[in-house]
Amino acid sequence: MIPIHSVTSDDLPQQINSLENRPDKPEEACGVFGIYAPGEDVAKLTYFGLYALQHRGQESAGIATFEGTQVHLHKDMGLVSQVFNETILAQLPGNLAVGHNRYSTTGSSRKVNAQPAVVETRLGSLALAHNGNLVNTVQLREELIQSQVNLITTTDSEMIAYAIAQEVNAGLDWLEGAIRAFHRCEGAFSLVVATPDGVMGTRDPNGIRPLVIGILEGNPVRYVLASETCGLDIIGADYLRDVEPGELVWITEQGLASFHWSQQPQRKLCIFEMIYFARPDSLMHNESLYSYRMRLGRRIAQESPVDADMVFGVPDSGIPAAIGFSQVSGVPYAEGLIKNRYVGRTFIQPTQTMRESGIKMKLNPLKDVLFGKRVIIVDDSIVRGTTSRKLVKALRDAGAAEVHMRISSPPVTHPCFYGIDTDTQDQLIAATKSVAEIAKQLEVDSLAYLSWEGMLEETREDTNSFCSACFTGDYPVAIPEQVKRSKLILEKVVV
């Protein structure tokens, strides 16, 4: 029996997916968390891990725990703090757990598509949480349906769970079945999978989406898996290492075992994880992403200087780059915008008057700070340009004499197929307009993007070990034509 507690309705307003109401940013797929910790309150630890990973997905949340062979599941629409409370967490006993925050990229925003996905096998239940996006979903779905698998959701995550179950039911054990199923998957997938025997964590052969391993000290040692290190910090776990591309880690009462199931792993971490998605206090390459983002700001100050009275970032993601810009340029850093951090994602639509007034529900200019000043505003990216234009207007209305915009990444010219929710190519402003044309549309006095080379060089890592397809159209995993046609409709851009 799998108890599922329901609080909210599947029915959401259709208009929340309209372009007008969507954030003018790339949207992440989700965050995953897994833990093997006998003797600990694994549900509560998973809750806090998901709480720290809330930025990766705000549509739904879920936790599955295993108490021997018994699985307990609770998932629903909403933020982690809305989906769970003390009473619900008390109904999720066990020694191991997996959790998930969802932002839908494959499958609509409905409770039935919330994760973890739980399926039955001859060895017991498995619960799977997935960050990423498969590109061979059509083929995999047809294979499963032909095998009489009854899919109940529209997500590729459920397909991966059923693919594992199918291999296990054919006679393989958990490890062999999982590895056989992973070979059937193409695209981006960082997974945590709970079974009665233990917890698995894996990444696709390119490691497009992140996944880290942590340790909770004790006797015996307990292990944690999370999309980012901030998910470890919140529960007091120490960062051990990343799960490698094409690696499966298997955590049981014997400890942690590692299996490299891909013969040709080639690291291609999504560069947008470093620029924007991951929290600035998360570690990648043994440093915080705050440090990398500051270097991006320093680099664009060198590449595209401009004389001004003050520089500030769009809260919160543009702030580290703005500080770096100030350090190199000598232009004083200040706060020009105040963010309402309690808005979150709301299904209550603003009135027409509020929509026409711009973006003041989330960002409000400091009029006395901005009045009469030549300002530089730093942001991490521009996707459609709709929010950027409203922001520039708000700054001018507040009295800014000049508005110069600096973007700490190159122009986004191509959609993502690996777990980021981007528009079709014709909706990406940089795919159809030059920088000068974008500047004119945004009504800024000047506009400059960071160079592609600068973005990669400032990682201080092998520049070939990142996926930057959204800037170049050079996709590391081949995209099937029928998938490609759904988003990619223009010529490839050369950088």
Side-chain angles (χ1 to χ4, degrees):
M1 173 180 158
I2 304 171
I4 301 179
H5 315 271
S6 299
V7 181
T8 61
S9 168
D10 283 351
D11 299 324
L12 296 174
Q14 292 296 317
Q15 66 266 33
I16 67 171
N17 290 320
S18 69
L19 286 179
E20 179 181 348
N21 296 309
R22 289 179 57 194
D24 189 15
K25 291 283 183 185
E27 292 296 307
E28 177 56 283
C30 42
V32 299
F33 187 90
I35 183 167
Y36 184 92
E40 297 287 341
D41 188 341
V42 293
K44 189 167 285 189
L45 291 172
T46 303
Y47 168 86
F48 284 111
L50 294 180
Y51 193 86
L53 298 170
Q54 185 72 85
H55 58 286
R56 299 185 70 88
Q58 300 89 41
E59 290 188 355
S60 66
I63 295 174
T65 64
F66 277 75
E67 185 183 23
T69 59
Q70 176 73 37
V71 59
H72 304 275
L73 173 68
H74 177 78
K75 55 184 179 179
D76 211 334
M77 303 302 295
L79 303 176
V80 176
S81 60
Q82 297 168 325
V83 171
F84 295 98
N85 56 39
E86 291 278 3
T87 301
I88 292 171
L89 290 172
Q91 297 172 21
L92 301 173
N95 291 326
L96 58 92
V98 294
H100 190 267
N101 290 330
R102 185 167 193 264
Y103 181 90
S104 62
T105 55
T106 297
S108 60
S109 177
R110 299 170 59 237
K111 194 178 78 174
V112 70
N113 286 331
Q115 294 184 43
V118 176
V119 300
E120 300 298 322
T121 79
R122 68 178 183 88
L123 298 179
S125 302
L126 73 85
L128 177 145
H130 172 209
N131 177 24
N133 210 50
L134 301 187
V135 299
N136 67 327
T137 50
V138 174
Q139 174 190 339
L140 184 57
R141 186 177 182 86
E142 288 177 353
E143 290 176 5
L144 293 170
I145 290 175
Q146 287 176 6
S147 302
Q148 309 303 310
V149 170
N150 183 27
L151 298 172
I152 60 173
T153 78
T154 57
T155 69
D156 54 355
S157 309
E158 184 195 29
M159 296 180 207
I160 302 174
Y162 271 112
I164 297 173
Q166 198 173 58
E167 300 295 346
V168 168
N169 289 337
L172 300 179
D173 63 20
W174 289 119
L175 282 175
E176 293 169 332
I179 290 172
R180 182 77 63 86
F182 299 157
H183 281 291
R184 298 169 62 183
C185 300
E186 297 174 13
F189 52 95
S190 285
L191 305 170
V192 290
V193 185
T195 75
D197 298 332
V199 176
M200 299 180 205
T202 196
R203 293 171 77 191
D204 64 80
N206 294 116
I208 295 173
R209 298 279 150 234
L211 189 64
V212 300
I213 308 169
I215 293 177
L216 273 173
E217 292 298 337
N219 188 16
V221 171
R222 285 76 50 90
Y223 290 94
V224 184
L225 298 166
S227 291
E228 299 176 32
T229 61
C230 65
L232 307 177
D233 297 338
I234 195 172
I235 64 168
D238 295 322
Y239 169 70
L240 178 63
R241 64 176 178 87
D242 288 9
V243 176
E244 294 298 322
E247 180 188 17
L248 182 155
V249 294
W250 179 223
I251 304 165
T252 65
E253 60 183 4
Q254 278 78 42
L256 184 146
S258 169
F259 303 87
H260 292 271
W261 56 270
S262 174
Q263 300 304 310
Q264 294 181 310
Q266 184 179 17
R267 184 180 184 272
K268 290 288 183 180
L269 176 69
C270 170
I271 192 67
F272 246 119
E273 291 281 356
M274 299 187 63
I275 294 169
Y276 170 66
F277 291 134
R279 252 175 48 171
D281 55 330
S282 286
L283 299 179
M284 288 188 182
H285 315 122
N286 297 313
E287 69 169 0
S288 71
L289 291 176
Y290 182 89
S291 298
Y292 170 65
R293 292 167 188 175
M294 282 185 63
R295 290 200 298 274
L296 296 182
R298 295 182 187 129
R299 182 66 173 251
I300 195 171
Q302 295 168 342
E303 293 181 355
S304 303
V306 60
D307 190 24
D309 302 310
M310 60 184 290
V311 58
F312 55 91
V314 177
D316 289 310
S317 55
I319 290 175
I323 293 172
F325 191 103
S326 174
Q327 291 173 343
V328 165
S329 67
V331 177
Y333 173 82
E335 284 199 47
L337 293 165
I338 298 300
K339 180 179 181 180
N340 179 0
R341 289 174 172 81
Y342 300 94
V343 171
R345 180 163 300 210
T346 176
F347 298 135
I348 305 301
Q349 299 306 307
T351 65
Q352 182 63 29
T353 301
M354 290 172 66
R355 284 196 292 268
E356 290 173 355
S357 72
I359 56 172
K360 294 181 182 177
M361 189 165 74
K362 290 190 177 181
L363 295 172
N364 204 29
L366 290 167
K367 294 182 180 180
D368 58 330
V369 174
L370 296 168
F371 188 81
K373 298 291 179 30
R374 300 168 300 163
V375 304
I376 304 167
I377 183 166
V378 179
D379 205 354
D380 55 81
S381 60
I382 299 176
V383 178
R384 295 185 305 277
T386 51
T387 298
S388 298
R389 182 170 179 171
K390 290 178 181 178
L391 186 55
V392 171
K393 182 180 185 302
L395 296 176
R396 293 201 185 278
D397 289 345
E402 295 178 11
V403 179
H404 303 272
M405 185 169 281
R406 295 295 180 267
I407 306 300
S408 59
S409 65
V412 176
T413 55
H414 286 71
C416 178
F417 298 92
Y418 306 135
I420 299 174
D421 184 22
T422 53
D423 294 294
T424 55
Q425 196 175 21
D426 61 330
Q427 294 293 328
L428 304 175
I429 191 170
T432 59
K433 290 179 169 57
S434 67
V435 174
E437 290 170 332
I438 297 170
K440 183 177 180 180
Q441 180 164 321
L442 302 185
E443 298 182 349
V444 290
D445 293 282
S446 73
L447 170 67
Y449 290 84
L450 181 67
S451 68
W452 179 71
E453 294 83 2
M455 172 189 69
L456 293 174
E457 289 171 5
E458 293 301 333
T459 64
R460 298 178 179 173
E461 296 290 318
D462 179 0
T463 58
N464 292 315
S465 65
F466 297 94
C467 175
S468 59
C470 51
F471 306 118
T472 65
D474 185 11
Y475 295 98
V477 182
I479 311 298
E481 279 303 317
Q482 61 192 121
V483 176
K484 187 183 296 186
R485 285 194 299 269
S486 68
K487 282 188 175 182
L488 196 61
I489 60 177
L490 303 175
E491 293 294 323
K492 182 174 177 179
V493 175
V494 178
V495 295

